[in-house]
Amino acid sequence: MIEVTHLSKSYGSIAAVRDLSFTVERGDVVGFLGPNGAGKSTTLRILAGFLGMTSGTVCIAGHDVALERKQALSRLGYMPEACPLYPELKVGEYLRFRAELKGVPRRARQAEVGRVLELARVDDYAEVVIGHLSKGYRQRVGIADALLGSPPLLILDEPTAGLDPNQIREVRALVRSLGGKHTVLVSTHILTEVELACTRAIVIDRGRLVAEGSIDEIRRAGGRGRVALTVRGSESEVRRVCEARSEHVVECEAIAASGTARLVVAAPEEELAEHTEELVRALTVAGLGVREVVPAMATLEQVFAELTRDAAVAREAPKRAEPERP
Amino acid sequence: MTGFFAIWKREVFSYFVTPLAWVTTTAFLVLQGLHFYLIVASFAGQLDLSADAGPVQTFFGQTVMLYLPLLFVCPVLTMRSFAEERRSGTIEPLLTAPVGTVSVVLAKYLAVLATYVAMWAPTVGYMLVLGRYGELDWNVVAAGYAAVLAVGAGYLAIGTMTSAMTKSQLAAAIASAMAIMGLFMLGLGEFIFAEGPLRDVASHVSVWTQMNDFARGIVDSRRLVFDASVVVLPLFITVRAVESWRLE
């Protein structure tokens, strides 16, 4: 559905996107992840045909965005970041305007607007002037707009930014429900969102691709296994024993009520068992009881931190080798 | 031209739900009403009238009162066009809809032109009043309005262009007011410069002479060609400017 090959975009001398390539298959709900300033919005704006690329190609449903702009854009529903709308129009008026703009036939227009109003749960607000809406509702109008004409591909740029927890849950459920019927590419920097709503994820950092794949693949992408231990003893005692192995103990926190502490050991898969064994021995020798040893699942949050940190380290070396732009 | 009519409707609608069009139209009509009253009052005292210098001719060209509002009203009407959409970000959903740049620019331009026509429409009432109490050549009146439309069309195209060049409405209005006044003043050079190419240029672009000619029923096609070029060139630049935002 989306094919991006060697996409680069520079603003003057600043490279926002560098040699980015990825594909999104039909029917996937893909999370587009990256820290702030990673080039997420720039990439999505290029996909949506709002910005041109410095080099590379973008194909939407087989149509090159630069060469067959109209064909590509008519297969795409796009919600820009912050969701700008005309404040003087009513929600219904705005959506009818957008439906006409997107070429929804006159007869089908009213029904289509009704359908998206309901889908985005703004049907009670059709007669409200957009300028009077709260941010959450404006965001939903943006999503309703993207859904107009049932395009096969939806691109949503931070649809949950600035919403309260209930609204976030609703938008997330909406995004999840759109999978199957639509291909969805949704950008965010909140990882739980991707875990809950998406089947695949693309991670970028400073304009480069750092990981791409299913959520499980991304989770493994860090390449480190994890084991969680519950240890009887105060946090400070446990920390003292762990100090020698601090690079592998990634978390240590007291569980207040039970007088125990929780440790998480992270290490490359092949060394994990060895490190765990050593740590358990050291703890036992120190007189601290190991009560529980269980395999732990890395959260995307941790993987993300590792991925973007690795990328930062790896970047330093080749950067100097790159020829300066004239 | 998909989407053209949708954008045109929204633009006209937005002009008339925001106070801008009402404030400009009201102010404009108050001034033109005063203008008309002064003309009629001054002619009422004259016993002898030549066919070439009646109230219609005066209204459409021989006082500065016609030009002053035009020089202010046109920049005010056009300043929002693109500048406001870029400032508020609504330009992004607009340009990511499957519509061509030419449609967007033409729809916005023709919407502002329609507002301009709506603004002038009530002044036809003055002509009806003149016709009721005296002899009136409606062909001359039509020529006068044609000139008002042709000159205004050019000024609005210039305003649309400057609006596409900045995110600030104020900057857009100032830039187009300067451009329009510059063009108007260059035309006055016709009466000032010595014989030569400079004076030829000045008389070619002279809005003052154009209005006076048309107000006497002299419709010169060279004038219309010049007016058309003042419409087409800025709009062409506008289309290129809108397309260039993608390359920024």
Side-chain angles (χ1 to χ4, degrees):
Chain A
M1 185 52 78
I2 306 178
E3 273 173 65
V4 175
T5 37
H6 303 296
L7 179 69
S8 296
K9 171 76 184 174
S10 315
Y11 295 107
S13 62
I14 303 158
V17 178
R18 313 171 201 216
D19 197 23
L20 188 63
S21 299
F22 63 84
T23 54
V24 173
E25 299 297 329
R26 187 175 292 271
D28 280 345
V29 178
V30 181
F32 195 57
L33 278 166
N36 287 328
K40 293 190 299 285
S41 286
T42 301
T43 308
L44 295 188
R45 282 176 163 176
I46 295 171
L47 294 189
F50 183 62
L51 283 180
M53 56 285 266
T54 309
S55 63
T57 55
V58 173
C59 281
I60 305 282
H63 298 279
D64 190 311
V65 169
L67 303 175
E68 301 171 289
R69 187 180 158 74
K70 264 192 196 173
Q71 286 95 322
L73 294 190
S74 62
R75 283 162 181 80
L76 155 80
Y78 171 57
M79 187 195 120
E81 191 180 13
C83 198
L85 304 167
Y86 298 111
E88 70 271 14
L89 297 188
K90 289 176 184 169
V91 173
E93 285 168 348
Y94 178 70
L95 291 175
R96 278 193 291 277
F97 159 65
R98 295 292 297 176
E100 191 176 347
L101 209 56
K102 291 179 177 186
V104 177
R106 177 187 289 274
R107 278 189 210 166
R109 228 173 271 157
Q110 192 60 39
E112 179 63 10
V113 168
R115 186 185 73 89
V116 298
L117 279 170
E118 209 168 302
L119 257 179
R121 303 225 195 101
V122 276
D123 32 353
D124 294 340
Y125 292 82
E127 292 304 311
V128 178
V129 174
I130 290 171
H132 297 164
L133 287 180
S134 69
K135 178 143 174 60
Y137 277 99
R138 242 176 274 183
Q139 212 91 326
R140 289 193 207 188
V141 174
I143 295 177
D145 174 16
L147 287 168
L148 276 171
S150 239
L153 173 65
L154 295 174
I155 295 181
L156 310 174
D157 197 354
E158 307 230 357
T160 57
L163 302 189
D164 70 34
N166 284 332
Q167 294 170 325
I168 289 180
R169 210 173 306 128
E170 281 177 25
V171 169
R172 199 187 292 146
L174 176 64
V175 169
R176 197 165 31 198
S177 73
L178 294 172
K181 267 177 291 177
H182 304 265
T183 307
V184 186
L185 181 64
V186 50
S187 88
T188 178
H189 56 265
I190 304 167
L191 293 141
T192 36
E193 225 159 71
V194 175
E195 288 187 295
L196 292 170
C198 303
T199 51
R200 296 175 68 81
I202 292 165
V203 185
I204 66 166
D205 183 36
R206 308 205 197 175
R208 287 181 208 274
L209 187 74
V210 262
E212 180 191 8
S214 69
I215 303 293
D216 285 337
E217 281 168 356
I218 301 255
R219 232 184 232 128
R220 280 198 297 271
R224 307 215 286 177
R226 279 159 202 273
V227 169
L229 291 82
T230 312
V231 182
R232 175 183 45 77
S234 72
E235 191 197 335
S236 56
E237 287 174 305
V238 174
R239 268 190 199 281
R240 207 169 43 240
V241 178
C242 292
E243 252 159 33
R245 290 158 192 82
S246 55
E247 71 173 293
H248 296 300
V249 178
V250 291
E251 269 176 47
C252 176
E253 52 187 13
I255 302 170
S258 57
T260 56
R262 183 174 183 275
L263 287 178
V264 175
V265 182
E269 294 281 359
E270 60 277 11
E271 300 168 22
L272 183 64
E274 199 181 312
H275 283 297
T276 312
E277 194 185 319
E278 262 175 42
L279 184 64
V280 170
R281 193 181 306 130
L283 288 164
T284 321
V285 168
L288 302 168
V290 177
R291 297 214 162 152
E292 206 177 32
V293 180
V294 289
M297 193 68 120
T299 63
L300 272 183
E301 208 112 11
Q302 293 154 339
V303 174
F304 186 65
E306 278 167 26
L307 283 173
T308 48
R309 193 184 53 212
D310 290 353
V313 173
R315 205 168 34 239
E316 291 310 315
K319 197 177 179 181
R320 285 183 210 108
E322 270 173 25
E324 283 293 309
R325 284 165 58 92
Chain B
M1 292 302 271
T2 38
F4 166 82
F5 194 52
I7 300 172
W8 185 85
K9 275 190 299 188
R10 194 207 71 79
E11 288 286 324
V12 173
F13 179 84
S14 285
Y15 272 113
F16 286 98
V17 290
T18 52
L20 185 69
W22 296 111
V23 171
T24 349
T25 307
T26 309
F28 175 78
L29 287 176
V30 167
L31 286 180
Q32 290 302 350
L34 182 64
H35 178 202
F36 180 70
Y37 171 78
L38 292 175
I39 289 170
V40 174
S42 103
F43 275 102
Q46 295 182 19
L47 297 173
D48 209 18
L49 276 185
S50 95
D52 256 7
V56 174
Q57 284 71 39
T58 312
F59 182 73
F60 281 117
Q62 284 166 358
T63 76
V64 76
M65 289 298 289
L66 178 92
Y67 305 105
L68 274 184
L70 273 191
L71 299 181
F72 285 104
V73 159
C74 292
V76 169
L77 283 180
T78 51
M79 65 183 187
R80 279 173 71 246
S81 247
F82 284 99
E84 175 61 13
E85 293 231 35
R86 283 176 82 195
R87 194 200 54 76
S88 73
T90 49
I91 195 74
E92 195 169 347
L94 185 64
L95 292 185
T96 53
V99 280
T101 313
V102 175
S103 297
V104 174
V105 171
L106 276 186
K108 279 180 172 289
Y109 170 68
L110 291 178
V112 80
L113 190 63
T115 313
Y116 177 79
V117 169
M119 203 176 71
W120 274 100
T123 62
V124 176
Y126 308 160
M127 302 303 143
L128 292 174
V129 170
L130 286 180
R132 176 89 172 69
Y133 296 104
E135 262 176 58
L136 194 66
D137 184 345
W138 282 99
N139 289 327
V140 170
V141 172
Y145 275 111
V148 159
L149 182 67
V151 170
Y155 287 179
L156 295 173
I158 290 173
T160 305
M161 175 182 76
T162 60
S163 180
M165 290 177 166
T166 164
K167 287 181 186 172
S168 153
Q169 293 192 46
L170 188 64
I174 291 173
S176 60
M178 289 301 156
I180 292 170
M181 284 182 201
L183 199 58
F184 181 75
M185 285 182 198
L186 182 61
L188 295 183
E190 180 187 16
F191 306 108
I192 295 156
F193 299 138
E195 191 115 20
L198 197 56
R199 190 163 96 179
D200 292 345
V201 171
S203 72
H204 185 62
V205 306
S206 173
V207 173
W208 183 275
T209 311
Q210 174 178 0
M211 291 304 303
N212 276 292
D213 284 355
F214 277 60
R216 280 180 285 139
I218 305 165
V219 179
D220 187 339
S221 59
R222 279 176 306 179
R223 298 285 180 198
L224 293 177
V225 169
F226 171 70
D227 292 337
S229 63
V230 180
V231 173
V232 172
L233 186 65
L235 289 185
F236 174 74
I237 295 172
T238 311
V239 170
R240 299 319 298 251
V242 172
E243 278 169 355
S244 77
W245 296 338
R246 272 188 227 123
L247 306 175
E248 269 172 14

